[in-house]
Amino acid sequence: MIGKHAFCPTSGASLSREVHYDERGRPERVPQSDDLSPNAALEEPLTTGKRRSSRRALATYFRRCHRRHGDANDDLYCRAALVLRRLKRVATGDQERDHILWYALGDRLARDGFDVDWMSIHAEPRCPDCGGRLTYVDGPDGPIGRCGGSCTGTRDDRLVTIRETVCTLLARAFPDEPTLDTDALALL
């Protein structure tokens, strides 16, 4: 993921607060070792996160975030790993973005009976077109998320597009399950 929730896209390690700059002046941070990714600083390149991370990185980030909210839960971690594997296998295009996979994972785990309300504070919806931050305004049915950079020139609700992408990914990954209504998603 990018932004305030950024982590190493390969290992899932936390990133240092210290910023280094490359020859073109772009900021980068060092992955930090911890109990979930002990050799991260030795094996991973400088990064500021990416929009598409490895399955391993997402699983590590999931475990780290969950441990901030509760005790380790092997059943939850095993189920999350299986769901992530299935989601990553069928994801294509925009479905491969970390925040889409994160919301799909959360919804699937909620349907399996796990408490995943905590997941919503560890990801930030991004514009499906440019990956930029969303700005929010009050709408008649709740908040409307618009691209902060107006990349498409329209003022469309980008949260609708995100919900549709998540539902499509879930339908592809779990074809035997009933199709979800976009308003029934657990985290969005």
Side-chain angles (χ1 to χ4, degrees):
M1 284 192 214
I2 58 175
K4 69 179 184 177
H5 302 288
F7 56 85
C8 176
T10 306
S11 69
S14 298
L15 298 177
S16 67
R17 295 195 185 281
E18 183 181 344
V19 177
H20 305 273
Y21 295 92
D22 69 6
E23 64 278 352
R24 294 161 81 191
R26 294 179 299 200
E28 297 174 324
R29 300 187 302 176
V30 178
Q32 299 294 295
S33 298
D34 60 19
D35 63 328
L36 296 174
S37 48
N39 297 320
L42 301 174
E43 62 190 46
E44 305 302 334
L46 294 172
T47 185
T48 53
K50 293 199 178 190
R51 291 183 188 144
R52 291 175 171 89
S53 300
S54 70
R55 185 173 42 89
R56 171 185 167 204
L58 284 167
T60 300
Y61 182 67
F62 177 86
R63 285 191 306 273
R64 182 179 303 105
C65 292
H66 179 262
R67 287 182 181 178
R68 292 179 192 159
H69 300 279
D71 295 329
N73 181 335
D74 289 336
D75 291 339
L76 173 62
Y77 299 156
C78 288
R79 184 65 183 150
L82 291 171
V83 171
L84 266 175
R85 178 183 306 270
R86 202 163 179 178
L87 291 170
K88 286 289 270 184
R89 187 176 9 179
V90 301
T92 59
D94 288 345
Q95 295 172 348
E96 294 176 301
R97 292 186 176 184
D98 289 347
H99 69 280
I100 299 295
L101 288 161
W102 187 260
Y103 294 129
L105 172 63
D107 188 80
R108 182 59 198 193
L109 292 173
R111 288 214 247 158
D112 289 343
F114 292 102
D115 176 22
V116 293
D117 291 338
W118 58 269
M119 287 181 70
S120 62
I121 64 172
H122 294 282
E124 174 183 11
R126 308 294 286 197
C127 176
D129 294 317
C130 70
R133 291 177 181 236
L134 298 180
T135 58
Y136 298 93
V137 296
D138 288 328
D141 299 323
I144 295 173
R146 295 180 176 151
C147 178
S150 300
C151 66
T152 61
T154 65
R155 305 300 289 164
D156 295 339
D157 186 358
R158 308 315 288 152
L159 292 174
V160 170
T161 305
I162 293 169
R163 285 184 188 104
E164 290 170 353
T165 305
V166 169
C167 286
T168 302
L169 174 58
L170 286 166
R172 290 184 65 215
F174 302 97
D176 299 334
E177 299 288 324
T179 305
L180 279 177
D181 179 18
T182 58
D183 295 329
L185 289 175
L187 298 181
L188 271 174

